[in-house]
Amino acid sequence: MTGGDTVLLRPTGAMFSTVWLVVGFVEWCRVNHKNPVVDLRTVNALNHWSGSKQRNSWTEYFRQVSSASLTEALTSNSYEVFSGRPSIFPVLEYSVLREYRHAFRKTIRLSDRSQAFVNPWLEFLAEEGRVLGVHMRGTDMRVAKSHMAPPTSFQLFTMVDRALESGPFDSIFVASEDEKSLAAIHARYGKRVLTSDSFRTRSTMKLSRMESPVIQWPFVLGLQVIRDTWMLAHCDGLVSGHSNVSEHAQVIRGRPYAVNYQIRRPRVDVFGSSRPAIRVTNFLRELSVSRRIGPDFRIIDRSQL
């Protein structure tokens, strides 16, 4: 059923920035007595179905957010399109908000396809004892202007060491699309490091913007990031910087981690937004202020919260 109060959301971003957007959009619709529908058939997000037959990529990953029909709305041309970004929830540190957690649980449910993709990996993870989850951002996030700088290897290793001391943890599950970061943590912690079969790169280009001969490349990447986020949520501890993945892992978990160390840094473009300027800034920060606790290495301890 659809009607004049149907509003479509057509997000075009990455997976969990889209999830954040959908949660806020549905809450906006609730407050304004509208019928929300996510439409990723008319537009493509970064992760999308690219087959010959058009599909709503959102409902390939998640269930639709209401009983309203996208097909009926498009056929009847009886809808509005939501524009802008909902302001109901903040874009940072929203995982600690009870209101966001509640809205997420009401709104976001995995599709049967996604659930079938995730379940075996959660079963695998459950066999590894007490697991410390680590989310290592890299690739494009190292040079993405207006974004928070990802933690350096030094910072992550410092907090992983602290987490292991307060453990005990049997294994370390690493979620990362950065091949260099994964190699570095594996070199330090050896056989304790576990990971999934997600694709990775040594480039500073976002994986979903690359070309690949892998069938349904953008779509498969979406399944992988959903799977890895749900796996982080099922770990016993977490070490990460800020990201929509790590924020949603904390939301999905629904209860405190035994150990939860969040690393926060200023934006990558504090002294210029060009890529050369960001690279120089990263190099100088890496050798100086990022190696001591302070504005460029701030720790939020959410353990047992």
Side-chain angles (χ1 to χ4, degrees), residues 38 96 120 168 212 232 241 290 301:
V38 181
V96 299
S212 171
L232 287 171
S290 71
D301 186 353

Side-chain angles (χ1 to χ4, degrees), residues 117-129 131 171 194-197 227 231:
F117 188 82
V118 168
N119 282 347
W121 289 90
L122 296 183
E123 182 182 357
F124 300 158
L125 187 70
E127 297 296 320
E128 300 298 333
V131 181
S171 306
L194 309 170
T195 190
S196 68
D197 63 354
R227 183 264 316 277
M231 290 180 74

Side-chain angles (χ1 to χ4, degrees), residues 199 207 210-215 217:
F199 297 116
L207 270 175
M210 296 180 179
E211 293 186 0
S212 171
V214 173
I215 297 173
W217 169 251

Side-chain angles (χ1 to χ4, degrees), residues 121 124-125 128 131 134 171-178 182 185-186 191-200 227-228 231:
W121 289 90
F124 300 158
L125 187 70
E128 300 298 333
V131 181
V134 179
S171 306
I172 304 169
F173 170 71
V174 180
S176 180
E177 64 177 26
D178 190 300
L182 181 60
I185 197 169
H186 187 265
K191 293 183 178 180
R192 282 183 290 181
V193 172
L194 309 170
T195 190
S196 68
D197 63 354
S198 290
F199 297 116
R200 297 180 179 85
R227 183 264 316 277
D228 287 0
M231 290 180 74

Side-chain angles (χ1 to χ4, degrees), residues 73-91:
L74 294 176
T75 301
S76 66
N77 202 33
S78 179
Y79 60 85
E80 304 171 50
V81 177
F82 185 86
S83 61
R85 188 166 65 178
S87 58
I88 291 178
F89 300 115
V91 296

